[in-house]
Amino acid sequence: MNEQTLAVAVIQGVIARTKNAPLSWYELLLSLHIESNQVSKSIAVLKKMILRAPETLRYWQQLTQLYLQSKNQKKALATWSLAQKNGLFTAKTHWELQAQLYYQIKQPYEAAMTLVRGAKVKQLKTSFNHYQQLSSYWLAAKEIDKAIAVQIILAKRSKKGLHAFTLGQLYYSEQKWQKAVSAFELSLKKGANNNKHEAYLLIGFSRLKLGQLQQAKVAFLEAQKNPETADVARYWSAKIVTGAQNI
């Protein structure tokens, strides 16, 4: 029997013989199990510690991390969610972890709602990064209207055109042609350099849907300046010229 095994046996014996043994003894036992990488035994000890002191967030954090270490995301989420229900969350990282855990088990809607709840109780600041993450969760959950609402905020706040371009794509997918045009034009105004010609192409298609043929032609002419969009833009420009624009 090595020294660590002996130490575990001694502290377990002391705890077993002592009514209401101090939590510090359990913490010592836990540290010994963790040092020897005994995950299941560490989990068992932490469960007892939480029963004794459910108000101690650190114990819930440790138990959650041990479940993650053992690749059990569902139990990690269940544990961390119990901490939240017990009112133990006090920081943005607590809400963000819960959201990530929901996302990992393919529940993006609940991940998004977690961020919404965290912001509602003012423990999550509605920063630019917050809205970016929220948008990605809504998109993963296929909640397009909610994603659009968040992308509107991002498009307004961002100095670059990427978020306005994404907003345009969302409007386009929902066949909201005029709103799509406005969003794509905003992206161009802000400098959507990487998506510039795709934006012009989609403006052209949206203008066609709105029956604005000459404005569509102007957009397609711009799209022809990039090899990736040139052929498609040239094709639709020709259809407008020949009057064969049956979209």
Side-chain angles (χ1 to χ4, degrees):
M1 181 180 292
N2 61 35
E3 289 184 3
Q4 192 166 39
T5 303
L6 179 61
V8 168
V10 169
I11 191 66
Q12 283 178 329
V14 171
I15 289 173
R17 293 191 299 272
T18 306
K19 186 177 181 180
N20 297 323
L23 278 169
S24 59
W25 296 2
Y26 285 94
E27 289 180 356
L28 176 58
L29 179 59
L30 175 64
S31 68
L32 291 170
H33 285 322
I34 289 175
E35 283 177 17
S36 57
N37 200 31
Q38 294 179 318
V39 176
S40 59
K41 290 183 178 180
S42 299
I43 287 172
V45 173
L46 269 168
K47 285 182 176 180
K48 292 177 182 177
M49 293 166 69
I50 286 172
L51 285 173
R52 291 277 305 278
E55 73 285 354
T56 305
L57 180 62
R58 177 166 52 89
Y59 298 160
W60 294 94
Q61 288 173 315
Q62 288 177 294
L63 183 56
T64 300
Q65 290 302 321
L66 284 172
Y67 279 132
L68 287 174
Q69 186 179 329
S70 59
K71 309 295 184 184
N72 196 330
Q73 274 81 8
K74 288 186 177 180
K75 283 191 175 180
L77 173 60
T79 299
W80 199 231
S81 295
L82 275 175
Q84 185 266 318
K85 288 177 182 177
N86 287 343
L88 300 181
F89 283 12
T90 58
K92 75 182 188 70
T93 53
H94 301 156
W95 296 95
E96 288 169 347
L97 174 58
Q98 188 179 34
Q100 290 166 11
L101 292 172
Y102 272 120
Y103 189 73
Q104 287 174 9
I105 64 168
K106 304 186 186 306
Q107 292 188 32
Y109 184 92
E110 286 302 325
M113 286 304 300
T114 296
L115 295 187
V116 170
R117 285 191 286 267
K120 188 175 181 180
V121 297
K122 301 187 184 306
Q123 290 181 355
L124 267 176
K125 291 184 178 179
T126 51
S127 64
F128 193 83
N129 289 338
H130 165 78
Y131 283 120
Q132 281 186 303
Q133 191 62 70
L134 183 58
S135 175
S136 70
Y137 288 152
W138 284 136
L139 285 172
K142 295 181 170 45
E143 293 285 343
I144 303 302
D145 288 343
K146 290 182 172 62
I148 284 174
V150 177
Q151 280 296 329
I152 289 172
I153 296 170
L154 289 169
K156 288 179 179 178
R157 288 191 181 186
S158 178
K159 294 180 179 179
K160 299 180 180 180
L162 177 60
H163 292 288
F165 180 78
T166 302
L167 177 60
Q169 288 179 307
L170 291 173
Y171 279 136
Y172 189 88
S173 70
E174 295 294 291
Q175 300 183 9
K176 296 178 180 179
W177 311 121
Q178 188 57 60
K179 289 184 176 182
V181 168
S182 297
F184 288 131
E185 288 180 340
L186 177 61
S187 76
L188 292 169
K189 183 179 179 180
K190 290 194 172 191
N193 296 327
N194 294 334
N195 308 103
K196 178 179 178 181
H197 294 93
E198 188 178 354
Y200 277 120
L201 187 66
L202 292 172
I203 287 173
F205 288 140
S206 299
R207 294 289 193 192
L208 282 178
K209 292 294 186 181
L210 292 165
Q212 300 167 350
L213 303 187
Q214 291 308 309
Q215 290 167 291
K217 184 180 176 182
V218 171
F220 286 138
L221 287 172
E222 289 293 333
Q224 288 178 47
K225 295 177 182 179
N226 185 284
E228 293 183 7
T229 54
D231 289 344
V232 175
R234 195 173 294 114
Y235 172 81
W236 287 103
S237 292
K239 286 179 75 77
I240 292 173
V241 172
T242 60
Q245 72 291 345
N246 184 21
I247 311 304

